[in-house]
């Protein structure tokens, strides 16, 4: 698999909320190879602090080799990234990781929570491109997204609707969509047997969905996030335990795993 380390120019900066930012880079080489579920390692500072690149899912690949990431400001690296301005250059390494294995759009259910929504827009557009125009229904793939409140969720839901996908929404405070968790919405949706789940979000959400899928013998792919140092299988700092014993490395074996293969701690 090809990976590139590229200095890329920021061509669009969007602050979706006070602390959620979307960056669009002109990154033709990485964009051309990228698959949904893969990630890039981003150098957040030209100096040595922070020394390590930070991992971000590829949020979307758009025409002309443009690649987007979507992130929430958490610490030093993301604070610096939120200060980058259009025209500046950053070093990106990618695309990294395995990516989702998409099945049929007619039997796909995408479930995202918080910044875990980031990789699912790319996956949804890939599903749409797999269907012929005549087959596309606004309900396929099915998408369930959750976040803390309307301000965090609505702009992201709009993005899915713009590409032609319906979304079932849930917020913790009830300000947009269902008042509660995405898992409530998933349970109430009575997903037919044969539908597979593609999931990314906070660990407790993914653990709950993994449990549900196990009870229903349903296929479930999860996108796992850990702290990463190298992103390329060299430091062994991103280990997650496997049900069968031993460990997998999120950067090189993942970040996408079949949920049933992982040992869930909740
Ligand atoms: C494969 C992968 C894809 C990712 N995709 C996205 C994305 O699309 N959007 C996004 O906002 N974030 C994403 N993340 C998480 C993102 O990498 C971290 O938020 C970022 O590295 C934080 O850097 P920082 O320097 O701002 O914070 P730091 O100063 O490094 O940390 C600040 C706080 O955040 C915690 N933290 C750091 N990394 C993580 C993590 N991976 N999971 C949970 N807590 C963490 C730290 O423990 C600390 O408490 C992804 C992570 C991985 C591994
Ligand atoms: S981050 Fe270094 S091995 Fe995964």
């Amino acid at each position: 698999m090809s990976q590139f380390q590229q200095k890329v120019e920021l061509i669009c900066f969007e602050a979706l909320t006070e602390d959620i930012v979307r960056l669009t880079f002109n990154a033709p080489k990485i964009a051309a190879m990228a698959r949904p579920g893969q990630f890039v390692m981003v150098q957040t500072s030209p100096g040595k602090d922070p020394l390590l690149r930070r991992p971000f899912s590829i949020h979307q690949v758009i025409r002309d080799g443009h690649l987007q990431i979507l992130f929430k400001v958490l610490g030093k690296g993301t604070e610096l990234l939120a200060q980058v301005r259009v025209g500046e250059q950053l070093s990106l390494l990618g695309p990294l990781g395995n990516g989702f294995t998409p099945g049929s759009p007619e039997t796909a259910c995408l479930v995202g929570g918080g910044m875990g929504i980031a990789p699912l827009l790319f996956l949804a557009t890939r599903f749409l491109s797999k269907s012929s125009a005549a087959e596309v229904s606004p309900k396929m793939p099915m998408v369930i997204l959750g976040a803390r409140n309307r301000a965090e969720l609505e702009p992201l839901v709009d993005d899915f609707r713009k590409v032609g996908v319906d979304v079932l929404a849930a917020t913790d405070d009830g300000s947009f969509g269902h008042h509660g968790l995405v898992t409530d919405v998933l349970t109430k949706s009575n997903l037919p047997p044969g539908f597979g789940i593609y999931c990314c979000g906070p660990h407790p959400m993914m653990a709950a969905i993994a449990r549900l899928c196990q009870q229903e013998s349903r296929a479930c792919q999860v996108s796992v996030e850990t702290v990463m140092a190298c992103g390329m299988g060299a430091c062994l700092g991103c280990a997650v335990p496997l049900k069968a014993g031993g460990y997998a490395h999120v950067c090189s074996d993942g970040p996408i795993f079949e949920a049933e293969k992982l040992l869930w701690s909740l």
Side-chain angles (χ1 to χ4, degrees):
M1 192 186 301
S2 301
Q3 282 128 15
F4 303 95
Q5 183 171 319
Q6 255 196 305
K7 278 248 176 199
V8 298
E9 183 184 344
L10 181 71
I11 55 168
C12 182
F13 178 99
E14 297 166 86
L16 303 191
T17 69
E18 260 180 19
D19 61 356
I20 298 179
V21 174
R22 176 159 47 207
L23 302 180
T24 307
F25 298 102
N26 183 25
K29 283 187 187 161
I30 300 175
M33 301 302 296
R35 296 195 315 274
Q38 291 188 297
F39 64 99
V40 287
M41 294 293 282
V42 182
Q43 192 170 21
T44 60
S45 152
K48 289 191 173 158
D49 184 23
L51 186 60
L52 300 173
R53 291 169 184 266
R54 299 293 193 255
F56 297 95
S57 301
I58 298 172
H59 173 49
Q60 184 63 292
V61 165
I62 43 182
R63 63 189 180 285
D64 304 330
H66 298 169
L67 178 147
Q68 295 183 322
I69 61 169
L70 172 81
F71 63 91
K72 186 168 225 169
V73 175
L74 276 187
K76 186 122 192 198
T78 44
E79 266 166 29
L80 287 166
L81 268 187
Q83 289 164 26
V84 179
R85 291 296 170 254
V86 169
E88 290 181 38
Q89 294 212 327
L90 285 181
S91 170
L92 257 59
L93 174 64
L96 298 166
N98 54 359
F100 288 105
T101 308
S104 160
E106 281 73 33
T107 54
C109 176
L110 281 49
V111 186
M115 286 301 97
I117 294 170
L120 299 185
L121 184 62
F122 190 13
L123 181 62
T125 53
R126 187 55 56 92
F127 271 127
L128 289 177
S129 71
K130 281 180 80 178
S131 306
S132 75
E135 285 170 337
V136 173
S137 147
K139 300 212 179 316
M140 298 300 165
M142 184 174 169
V143 179
I144 305 173
L145 305 179
R148 287 191 308 185
N149 52 46
R150 174 185 284 269
E152 291 193 357
L153 191 56
E154 196 171 22
L156 302 177
V157 168
D158 285 347
D159 291 332
F160 282 78
R161 291 186 173 150
K162 273 183 212 147
V163 299
V165 182
D166 262 1
V167 175
L168 298 171
T171 47
D172 295 348
D173 67 358
S175 54
F176 188 64
H178 168 77
H179 187 175
L181 303 173
V182 288
T183 41
D184 305 336
V185 180
L186 179 62
T187 311
K188 279 192 202 147
S189 70
N190 289 322
L191 204 60
F195 267 67
I197 300 226
Y198 303 79
C199 173
C200 186
H203 184 88
M205 177 197 115
M206 293 204 293
I209 290 176
R211 225 173 14 247
L212 204 65
C213 289
Q214 193 180 10
Q215 285 159 10
E216 298 176 348
S217 303
R218 190 184 293 289
C220 177
Q221 295 177 39
V222 292
S223 177
V224 175
E225 290 187 7
T226 57
V227 174
M228 283 186 182
C230 73
M232 299 191 76
C235 71
L236 308 185
C238 61
V240 287
L242 296 172
K243 199 180 275 176
Y247 290 86
H249 293 99
V250 173
C251 67
S252 50
D253 302 317
I256 313 300
F257 293 90
E258 288 171 39
E260 63 183 6
K261 299 255 167 78
L262 298 176
L263 187 63
W264 295 94
S265 52
L266 286 170

